[in-house]
Structure formats: C-alpha cells, structure tokens
Amino acid sequence: QVQLVESGGGLAQPGGSLRLSCAASERIIRINTVGWHRQAPGKERELVATITGGGRINYVDSVKGRFTISRDNAKNTVYLQMNSLNPEDTAVYYCNADVLNIRGVSGNYWGRGTLVTVSS
C-alpha cells in the first residue's frame, strides 16, 4: 500500500522558515490533489493548504502570504514552504493526497506527520 512520507519538520525560531516535503514511499503514477493539514496540541486538525493536479491552490487565511504550496510532478513531490513562522504555527503537519498507484488504482492516503515547533 502506498504511504506518504513527510519530511522537513523541526525547530524554527519566530520569523524563521521551514520547507516541508511530501512524497510517496513507492513508485506511483501520479499524485493528484494534495492537502497539507496541521494539528496543534489540544486542537482539531485543520486544513492549511491544498493544490490540485492542475495547480489550483487554496490557503487557510491564517497562512496566506506566509506559506506557499507547490509541486514537482516529475518527482511526485509536494512542498510547503513556510515563512515568517510564529509560535501559533507549532503543530504536527500531515500530508493527505489522492494517489494513482502503479497499478492504476486511485486511493486517498495520509502521511504520519512531521512536527514543526516554532520557539525562541
């Protein structure tokens, strides 16, 4: 079964930047719509940004102008560039994607998450 693997989390200072990546753990045909979600301690998971296979993008208001979602279709990888980080961005970030696997079967998958901590 396809797994999504997030990477790039870690500790950042307020005002700093991190770039998250999301890729499939095995060879696939295509990643279609992708969403980056986050869950802060004691809070519900929220959708932060989405990008469709055609490149249409949406952001939650709290990250507009600071976060940028992008994709490299040749690498079947999706990124979340996070700038001007603040402590309220501290959360586990999850990748969720519609994936067309090597057998031509579509499915929706979640990654296990990567922790982003913003603190001085």
Side-chain angles (χ1 to χ4, degrees):
Q1 179 169 331
V2 174
Q3 292 183 352
L4 297 178
V5 180
E6 303 97 337
S7 60
L11 176 64
Q13 291 189 340
S17 299
L18 288 172
R19 189 176 82 153
L20 306 183
S21 300
C22 172
S25 61
E26 61 184 55
R27 187 166 169 245
I28 59 171
I29 294 175
R30 186 170 61 246
I31 293 179
N32 292 316
T33 296
V34 177
W36 281 101
H37 301 246
R38 68 184 179 186
Q39 188 165 19
K43 295 187 178 180
E44 294 186 354
R45 190 174 297 188
E46 69 167 343
L47 178 61
V48 173
T50 58
I51 185 168
T52 67
R56 188 167 68 240
I57 291 172
N58 281 292
Y59 300 101
V60 69
D61 286 346
S62 60
V63 307
K64 285 181 179 177
R66 301 189 298 121
F67 290 11
T68 302
I69 190 171
S70 62
R71 62 191 302 147
D72 184 334
N73 290 330
K75 296 181 179 179
N76 276 322
T77 300
V78 177
Y79 305 98
L80 185 67
Q81 177 67 43
M82 306 186 295
N83 298 329
S84 301
L85 286 164
N86 59 60
E88 289 70 38
D89 296 316
T90 295
V92 178
Y93 284 71
Y94 299 90
C95 174
N96 172 255
D98 295 323
V99 176
L100 185 64
N101 70 18
I102 199 65
R103 294 170 293 281
V105 177
S106 294
N108 183 265
Y109 302 93
W110 285 89
R112 293 186 176 183
T114 185
L115 177 63
V116 171
T117 303
V118 183
S119 175
S120 55

mmCIF file of all heavy atoms in Angstrom, residues 81-112:
data_model
loop_
_atom_site.group_PDB
_atom_site.id
_atom_site.type_symbol
_atom_site.label_atom_id
_atom_site.label_comp_id
_atom_site.label_asym_id
_atom_site.label_seq_id
_atom_site.Cartn_x
_atom_site.Cartn_y
_atom_site.Cartn_z
ATOM 1 N N GLN A 81 6.337 25.511 1.673
ATOM 2 C CA GLN A 81 7.325 26.483 2.140
ATOM 3 C C GLN A 81 6.654 27.369 3.169
ATOM 4 O O GLN A 81 5.641 28.008 2.880
ATOM 5 C CB GLN A 81 7.837 27.325 0.968
ATOM 6 C CG GLN A 81 8.825 28.410 1.371
ATOM 7 C CD GLN A 81 10.136 27.859 1.879
ATOM 8 O OE1 GLN A 81 10.680 26.917 1.315
ATOM 9 N NE2 GLN A 81 10.636 28.427 2.983
ATOM 10 N N MET A 82 7.211 27.398 4.354
ATOM 11 C CA MET A 82 6.629 28.155 5.455
ATOM 12 C C MET A 82 7.596 29.254 5.871
ATOM 13 O O MET A 82 8.695 28.957 6.343
ATOM 14 C CB MET A 82 6.330 27.223 6.634
ATOM 15 C CG MET A 82 5.464 26.022 6.253
ATOM 16 S SD MET A 82 4.982 25.025 7.676
ATOM 17 C CE MET A 82 6.585 24.427 8.209
ATOM 18 N N ASN A 83 7.187 30.482 5.698
ATOM 19 C CA ASN A 83 7.990 31.639 6.077
ATOM 20 C C ASN A 83 7.305 32.424 7.177
ATOM 21 O O ASN A 83 6.113 32.225 7.453
ATOM 22 C CB ASN A 83 8.208 32.541 4.860
ATOM 23 C CG ASN A 83 8.959 31.854 3.743
ATOM 24 O OD1 ASN A 83 9.796 30.983 3.970
ATOM 25 N ND2 ASN A 83 8.660 32.238 2.508
ATOM 26 N N SER A 84 8.054 33.308 7.784
ATOM 27 C CA SER A 84 7.505 34.161 8.854
ATOM 28 C C SER A 84 6.749 33.330 9.881
ATOM 29 O O SER A 84 5.634 33.680 10.292
ATOM 30 C CB SER A 84 6.586 35.233 8.262
ATOM 31 O OG SER A 84 7.282 36.049 7.343
ATOM 32 N N LEU A 85 7.371 32.255 10.290
ATOM 33 C CA LEU A 85 6.720 31.354 11.243
ATOM 34 C C LEU A 85 6.514 32.042 12.584
ATOM 35 O O LEU A 85 7.326 32.878 13.013
ATOM 36 C CB LEU A 85 7.559 30.102 11.426
ATOM 37 C CG LEU A 85 7.531 29.117 10.256
ATOM 38 C CD1 LEU A 85 8.686 28.121 10.347
ATOM 39 C CD2 LEU A 85 6.203 28.381 10.207
ATOM 40 N N ASN A 86 5.439 31.682 13.239
ATOM 41 C CA ASN A 86 5.174 32.179 14.586
ATOM 42 C C ASN A 86 4.777 30.998 15.469
ATOM 43 O O ASN A 86 4.476 29.903 14.970
ATOM 44 C CB ASN A 86 4.108 33.267 14.556
ATOM 45 C CG ASN A 86 2.798 32.786 13.975
ATOM 46 O OD1 ASN A 86 2.178 31.860 14.495
ATOM 47 N ND2 ASN A 86 2.349 33.423 12.892
ATOM 48 N N PRO A 87 4.800 31.175 16.777
ATOM 49 C CA PRO A 87 4.520 30.043 17.675
ATOM 50 C C PRO A 87 3.177 29.381 17.417
ATOM 51 O O PRO A 87 3.022 28.184 17.701
ATOM 52 C CB PRO A 87 4.581 30.691 19.065
ATOM 53 C CG PRO A 87 5.560 31.803 18.897
ATOM 54 C CD PRO A 87 5.282 32.355 17.524
ATOM 55 N N GLU A 88 2.218 30.122 16.883
ATOM 56 C CA GLU A 88 0.901 29.544 16.594
ATOM 57 C C GLU A 88 0.958 28.528 15.438
ATOM 58 O O GLU A 88 -0.010 27.793 15.220
ATOM 59 C CB GLU A 88 -0.115 30.634 16.257
ATOM 60 C CG GLU A 88 -0.542 31.501 17.447
ATOM 61 C CD GLU A 88 0.568 32.416 17.931
ATOM 62 O OE1 GLU A 88 1.322 32.937 17.072
ATOM 63 O OE2 GLU A 88 0.695 32.602 19.163
ATOM 64 N N ASP A 89 2.057 28.496 14.722
ATOM 65 C CA ASP A 89 2.226 27.506 13.649
ATOM 66 C C ASP A 89 2.743 26.170 14.176
ATOM 67 O O ASP A 89 2.851 25.207 13.409
ATOM 68 C CB ASP A 89 3.199 28.034 12.593
ATOM 69 C CG ASP A 89 2.682 29.272 11.881
ATOM 70 O OD1 ASP A 89 1.490 29.290 11.511
ATOM 71 O OD2 ASP A 89 3.476 30.214 11.698
ATOM 72 N N THR A 90 3.076 26.121 15.444
ATOM 73 C CA THR A 90 3.545 24.873 16.035
ATOM 74 C C THR A 90 2.463 23.808 15.952
ATOM 75 O O THR A 90 1.338 24.015 16.430
ATOM 76 C CB THR A 90 3.959 25.091 17.497
ATOM 77 O OG1 THR A 90 5.090 25.969 17.539
ATOM 78 C CG2 THR A 90 4.308 23.772 18.172
ATOM 79 N N ALA A 91 2.798 22.689 15.344
ATOM 80 C CA ALA A 91 1.823 21.627 15.130
ATOM 81 C C ALA A 91 2.510 20.444 14.466
ATOM 82 O O ALA A 91 3.643 20.562 13.987
ATOM 83 C CB ALA A 91 0.678 22.108 14.243
ATOM 84 N N VAL A 92 1.810 19.341 14.428
ATOM 85 C CA VAL A 92 2.212 18.245 13.561
ATOM 86 C C VAL A 92 1.548 18.486 12.208
ATOM 87 O O VAL A 92 0.333 18.707 12.139
ATOM 88 C CB VAL A 92 1.787 16.880 14.128
ATOM 89 C CG1 VAL A 92 2.188 15.761 13.167
ATOM 90 C CG2 VAL A 92 2.424 16.650 15.493
ATOM 91 N N TYR A 93 2.345 18.464 11.169
ATOM 92 C CA TYR A 93 1.856 18.730 9.820
ATOM 93 C C TYR A 93 1.725 17.404 9.071
ATOM 94 O O TYR A 93 2.663 16.596 9.048
ATOM 95 C CB TYR A 93 2.804 19.665 9.087
ATOM 96 C CG TYR A 93 2.662 21.101 9.544
ATOM 97 C CD1 TYR A 93 3.109 21.486 10.807
ATOM 98 C CD2 TYR A 93 2.042 22.049 8.743
ATOM 99 C CE1 TYR A 93 2.951 22.794 11.242
ATOM 100 C CE2 TYR A 93 1.883 23.361 9.165
ATOM 101 C CZ TYR A 93 2.341 23.722 10.419
ATOM 102 O OH TYR A 93 2.170 25.017 10.862
ATOM 103 N N TYR A 94 0.570 17.225 8.457
ATOM 104 C CA TYR A 94 0.261 15.995 7.751
ATOM 105 C C TYR A 94 -0.001 16.284 6.274
ATOM 106 O O TYR A 94 -0.636 17.280 5.923
ATOM 107 C CB TYR A 94 -0.992 15.337 8.325
ATOM 108 C CG TYR A 94 -0.901 14.936 9.771
ATOM 109 C CD1 TYR A 94 -1.271 15.819 10.787
ATOM 110 C CD2 TYR A 94 -0.457 13.665 10.124
ATOM 111 C CE1 TYR A 94 -1.191 15.448 12.116
ATOM 112 C CE2 TYR A 94 -0.388 13.283 11.462
ATOM 113 C CZ TYR A 94 -0.761 14.186 12.448
ATOM 114 O OH TYR A 94 -0.694 13.809 13.772
ATOM 115 N N CYS A 95 0.423 15.354 5.471
ATOM 116 C CA CYS A 95 0.144 15.397 4.039
ATOM 117 C C CYS A 95 -0.980 14.401 3.745
ATOM 118 O O CYS A 95 -0.969 13.273 4.244
ATOM 119 C CB CYS A 95 1.418 15.007 3.290
ATOM 120 S SG CYS A 95 1.239 14.844 1.521
ATOM 121 N N ASN A 96 -1.937 14.841 2.954
ATOM 122 C CA ASN A 96 -3.034 13.973 2.523
ATOM 123 C C ASN A 96 -3.146 14.103 1.018
ATOM 124 O O ASN A 96 -3.156 15.226 0.491
ATOM 125 C CB ASN A 96 -4.338 14.404 3.195
ATOM 126 C CG ASN A 96 -5.541 13.667 2.628
ATOM 127 O OD1 ASN A 96 -6.316 14.215 1.866
ATOM 128 N ND2 ASN A 96 -5.677 12.407 2.983
ATOM 129 N N ALA A 97 -3.207 12.990 0.322
ATOM 130 C CA ALA A 97 -3.191 13.085 -1.136
ATOM 131 C C ALA A 97 -4.006 11.990 -1.795
ATOM 132 O O ALA A 97 -4.127 10.876 -1.273
ATOM 133 C CB ALA A 97 -1.749 13.015 -1.647
ATOM 134 N N ASP A 98 -4.539 12.329 -2.953
ATOM 135 C CA ASP A 98 -5.136 11.354 -3.854
ATOM 136 C C ASP A 98 -4.021 10.863 -4.765
ATOM 137 O O ASP A 98 -3.380 11.661 -5.453
ATOM 138 C CB ASP A 98 -6.252 11.985 -4.688
ATOM 139 C CG ASP A 98 -7.432 12.425 -3.835
ATOM 140 O OD1 ASP A 98 -7.758 11.710 -2.868
ATOM 141 O OD2 ASP A 98 -8.007 13.486 -4.137
ATOM 142 N N VAL A 99 -3.806 9.567 -4.747
ATOM 143 C CA VAL A 99 -2.661 8.994 -5.454
ATOM 144 C C VAL A 99 -3.130 7.950 -6.447
ATOM 145 O O VAL A 99 -4.001 7.127 -6.135
ATOM 146 C CB VAL A 99 -1.674 8.349 -4.446
ATOM 147 C CG1 VAL A 99 -0.529 7.661 -5.185
ATOM 148 C CG2 VAL A 99 -1.140 9.390 -3.484
ATOM 149 N N LEU A 100 -2.555 7.981 -7.626
ATOM 150 C CA LEU A 100 -2.773 6.939 -8.625
ATOM 151 C C LEU A 100 -1.568 6.018 -8.566
ATOM 152 O O LEU A 100 -0.449 6.425 -8.907
ATOM 153 C CB LEU A 100 -2.917 7.557 -10.015
ATOM 154 C CG LEU A 100 -3.276 6.596 -11.148
ATOM 155 C CD1 LEU A 100 -4.653 5.985 -10.920
ATOM 156 C CD2 LEU A 100 -3.230 7.308 -12.494
ATOM 157 N N ASN A 101 -1.786 4.784 -8.076
ATOM 158 C CA ASN A 101 -0.632 3.906 -7.883
ATOM 159 C C ASN A 101 -0.195 3.257 -9.189
ATOM 160 O O ASN A 101 -0.791 3.468 -10.255
ATOM 161 C CB ASN A 101 -0.911 2.882 -6.783
ATOM 162 C CG ASN A 101 -1.931 1.826 -7.184
ATOM 163 O OD1 ASN A 101 -2.218 1.617 -8.370
ATOM 164 N ND2 ASN A 101 -2.487 1.138 -6.202
ATOM 165 N N ILE A 102 0.856 2.480 -9.101
ATOM 166 C CA ILE A 102 1.473 1.915 -10.296
ATOM 167 C C ILE A 102 0.556 0.923 -11.005
ATOM 168 O O ILE A 102 0.732 0.637 -12.190
ATOM 169 C CB ILE A 102 2.821 1.254 -9.916
ATOM 170 C CG1 ILE A 102 3.684 1.076 -11.152
ATOM 171 C CG2 ILE A 102 2.588 -0.041 -9.160
ATOM 172 C CD1 ILE A 102 4.124 2.372 -11.795
ATOM 173 N N ARG A 103 -0.450 0.450 -10.300
ATOM 174 C CA ARG A 103 -1.401 -0.488 -10.908
ATOM 175 C C ARG A 103 -2.608 0.250 -11.491
ATOM 176 O O ARG A 103 -3.564 -0.362 -11.946
ATOM 177 C CB ARG A 103 -1.862 -1.509 -9.869
ATOM 178 C CG ARG A 103 -0.739 -2.427 -9.401
ATOM 179 C CD ARG A 103 -1.142 -3.276 -8.214
ATOM 180 N NE ARG A 103 -1.370 -2.476 -7.027
ATOM 181 C CZ ARG A 103 -0.402 -2.010 -6.262
ATOM 182 N NH1 ARG A 103 0.858 -2.253 -6.554
ATOM 183 N NH2 ARG A 103 -0.692 -1.299 -5.187
ATOM 184 N N GLY A 104 -2.575 1.594 -11.416
ATOM 185 C CA GLY A 104 -3.656 2.378 -11.986
ATOM 186 C C GLY A 104 -4.858 2.525 -11.077
ATOM 187 O O GLY A 104 -5.930 2.918 -11.532
ATOM 188 N N VAL A 105 -4.670 2.241 -9.801
ATOM 189 C CA VAL A 105 -5.763 2.340 -8.823
ATOM 190 C C VAL A 105 -5.596 3.619 -8.021
ATOM 191 O O VAL A 105 -4.503 3.910 -7.525
ATOM 192 C CB VAL A 105 -5.768 1.117 -7.879
ATOM 193 C CG1 VAL A 105 -6.864 1.271 -6.830
ATOM 194 C CG2 VAL A 105 -5.944 -0.168 -8.675
ATOM 195 N N SER A 106 -6.675 4.387 -7.875
ATOM 196 C CA SER A 106 -6.633 5.627 -7.103
ATOM 197 C C SER A 106 -7.011 5.364 -5.651
ATOM 198 O O SER A 106 -7.861 4.523 -5.363
ATOM 199 C CB SER A 106 -7.604 6.649 -7.701
ATOM 200 O OG SER A 106 -7.196 7.049 -8.985
ATOM 201 N N GLY A 107 -6.385 6.096 -4.783
ATOM 202 C CA GLY A 107 -6.697 5.998 -3.369
ATOM 203 C C GLY A 107 -6.322 7.275 -2.660
ATOM 204 O O GLY A 107 -5.573 8.093 -3.189
ATOM 205 N N ASN A 108 -6.858 7.459 -1.470
ATOM 206 C CA ASN A 108 -6.546 8.623 -0.648
ATOM 207 C C ASN A 108 -5.705 8.182 0.531
ATOM 208 O O ASN A 108 -6.064 7.235 1.232
ATOM 209 C CB ASN A 108 -7.831 9.296 -0.165
ATOM 210 C CG ASN A 108 -7.546 10.556 0.624
ATOM 211 O OD1 ASN A 108 -7.476 10.530 1.843
ATOM 212 N ND2 ASN A 108 -7.359 11.653 -0.079
ATOM 213 N N TYR A 109 -4.607 8.875 0.755
ATOM 214 C CA TYR A 109 -3.641 8.453 1.775
ATOM 215 C C TYR A 109 -3.222 9.623 2.653
ATOM 216 O O TYR A 109 -3.214 10.780 2.215
ATOM 217 C CB TYR A 109 -2.401 7.852 1.103
ATOM 218 C CG TYR A 109 -2.713 6.686 0.210
ATOM 219 C CD1 TYR A 109 -2.932 6.869 -1.150
ATOM 220 C CD2 TYR A 109 -2.808 5.400 0.732
ATOM 221 C CE1 TYR A 109 -3.239 5.799 -1.974
ATOM 222 C CE2 TYR A 109 -3.107 4.324 -0.086
ATOM 223 C CZ TYR A 109 -3.322 4.529 -1.428
ATOM 224 O OH TYR A 109 -3.630 3.471 -2.240
ATOM 225 N N TRP A 110 -2.848 9.265 3.869
ATOM 226 C CA TRP A 110 -2.291 10.218 4.820
ATOM 227 C C TRP A 110 -0.869 9.828 5.164
ATOM 228 O O TRP A 110 -0.533 8.643 5.248
ATOM 229 C CB TRP A 110 -3.097 10.203 6.120
ATOM 230 C CG TRP A 110 -4.425 10.878 6.053
ATOM 231 C CD1 TRP A 110 -5.606 10.308 5.700
ATOM 232 C CD2 TRP A 110 -4.698 12.245 6.362
ATOM 233 N NE1 TRP A 110 -6.606 11.240 5.768
ATOM 234 C CE2 TRP A 110 -6.089 12.429 6.173
ATOM 235 C CE3 TRP A 110 -3.923 13.320 6.774
ATOM 236 C CZ2 TRP A 110 -6.694 13.657 6.382
ATOM 237 C CZ3 TRP A 110 -4.537 14.542 6.987
ATOM 238 C CH2 TRP A 110 -5.913 14.701 6.793
ATOM 239 N N GLY A 111 -0.044 10.844 5.402
ATOM 240 C CA GLY A 111 1.266 10.591 5.966
ATOM 241 C C GLY A 111 1.171 10.512 7.485
ATOM 242 O O GLY A 111 0.118 10.759 8.078
ATOM 243 N N ARG A 112 2.286 10.187 8.105
ATOM 244 C CA ARG A 112 2.305 10.053 9.567
ATOM 245 C C ARG A 112 2.568 11.370 10.268
ATOM 246 O O ARG A 112 2.456 11.468 11.481
ATOM 247 C CB ARG A 112 3.353 9.021 9.973
ATOM 248 C CG ARG A 112 2.995 7.613 9.531
ATOM 249 C CD ARG A 112 3.977 6.598 10.074
ATOM 250 N NE ARG A 112 3.586 5.238 9.745
ATOM 251 C CZ ARG A 112 4.245 4.160 10.144
ATOM 252 N NH1 ARG A 112 5.320 4.279 10.902
ATOM 253 N NH2 ARG A 112 3.822 2.973 9.787
#
